[in-house]
Amino acid sequence: MALIEKIHHVAYRCKNAKQTVEWYQKYLDMNFILAIAENEVPSTKEPDPYMHIFLDAGGGNVLAFFELPTKPEMLSPADANTPAWTQHLALKVDSVDTMMSVKARLEADGIEVIGPTDHTIFQSIYFRDPSGHRLELAANTATDEMNQALDRVKWDMLNEWDRTKKAPEHARWMHDGSGKIGEH
């Protein structure tokens, strides 16, 4: 039995709580499930008013945000040494068709969407929420054979990466366009 049952919630900062709730409802059909607002931080007792909002991301998953009006303006969701594409929240959808309908809805309102990107085992699109957080919608496309092949090489890949800091070739089939599963 695993120590962790599931992720209770994931929290990010947002620029505007109301705008964030409305955006996630409109584009990703997430229900607004809870708001907590206090004038001091419960854990540290620091005086700092905040609005903490919680959204239902499906399957018992909760996405939360803090609006912090007394803090300097949020400049970027990532630090200066981390590329903007790195830190993101990937959300699973049931199909490529669902993903593409969300893409159309976003683009119809002028929101830039990158993709779809074919990762062989899933397809995805990328876009940003009103606070600048990078989001990914992903639709799985892997076969059982693909998943088993990746499972067989994961430790070898990780150990090679740890030694060399160069991309291992164990799962080259995912990126070479051949689609042929093979060992390195």
Side-chain angles (χ1 to χ4, degrees), residues 36-52 54 66 68:
I36 299 173
E38 300 199 35
N39 288 313
E40 76 175 22
V41 180
S43 58
T44 66
K45 304 303 181 204
E46 176 186 356
D48 193 6
Y50 66 85
M51 170 58 72
H52 194 17
F54 297 79
F66 285 97
L68 307 170

Side-chain angles (χ1 to χ4, degrees), residues 109-131:
D109 284 348
I111 298 169
E112 181 183 353
V113 179
I114 297 172
T117 301
D118 185 354
H119 299 282
T120 303
I121 58 171
F122 62 94
Q123 293 211 15
S124 60
I125 59 172
Y126 303 90
F127 50 96
R128 294 193 181 275
D129 79 359
S131 296

Side-chain angles (χ1 to χ4, degrees), residues 7-12 14 17-18 20-22 24-25 29-38 42 50-58 60-67:
I7 293 175
H8 186 277
H9 67 274
V10 175
Y12 292 99
C14 67
K18 186 172 189 291
T20 298
V21 166
E22 291 170 348
Y24 278 83
Q25 283 180 322
D29 298 328
M30 289 189 189
N31 289 325
F32 178 38
I33 55 176
L34 178 65
I36 299 173
E38 300 199 35
Y50 66 85
M51 170 58 72
H52 194 17
I53 56 170
F54 297 79
L55 301 162
D56 182 351
N61 298 292
V62 176
L63 179 58
F65 293 91
F66 285 97
E67 183 179 342

Side-chain angles (χ1 to χ4, degrees), residues 72-165:
E73 182 179 341
M74 188 173 114
L75 301 177
S76 171
D79 68 82
N81 293 326
T82 303
W85 59 266
T86 306
Q87 295 187 143
H88 66 281
L89 179 62
L91 304 165
K92 182 182 179 288
V93 294
D94 65 348
S95 67
V96 172
D97 287 343
T98 297
M99 180 185 76
M100 295 306 289
S101 73
V102 173
K103 179 182 193 299
R105 192 177 338 160
L106 292 162
E107 290 177 335
D109 284 348
I111 298 169
E112 181 183 353
V113 179
I114 297 172
T117 301
D118 185 354
H119 299 282
T120 303
I121 58 171
F122 62 94
Q123 293 211 15
S124 60
I125 59 172
Y126 303 90
F127 50 96
R128 294 193 181 275
D129 79 359
S131 296
H133 296 291
R134 190 173 202 232
L135 301 173
E136 174 183 5
L137 287 190
N140 288 341
T141 56
T143 64
D144 288 342
E145 183 185 18
M146 289 175 179
N147 289 331
Q148 290 165 5
L150 292 171
D151 186 57
R152 282 193 299 272
V153 298
K154 66 187 176 197
W155 280 106
D156 291 338
M157 290 178 70
L158 182 61
N159 289 329
E160 183 176 323
W161 172 264
D162 191 51
R163 285 190 318 275
T164 68
K165 301 302 182 205

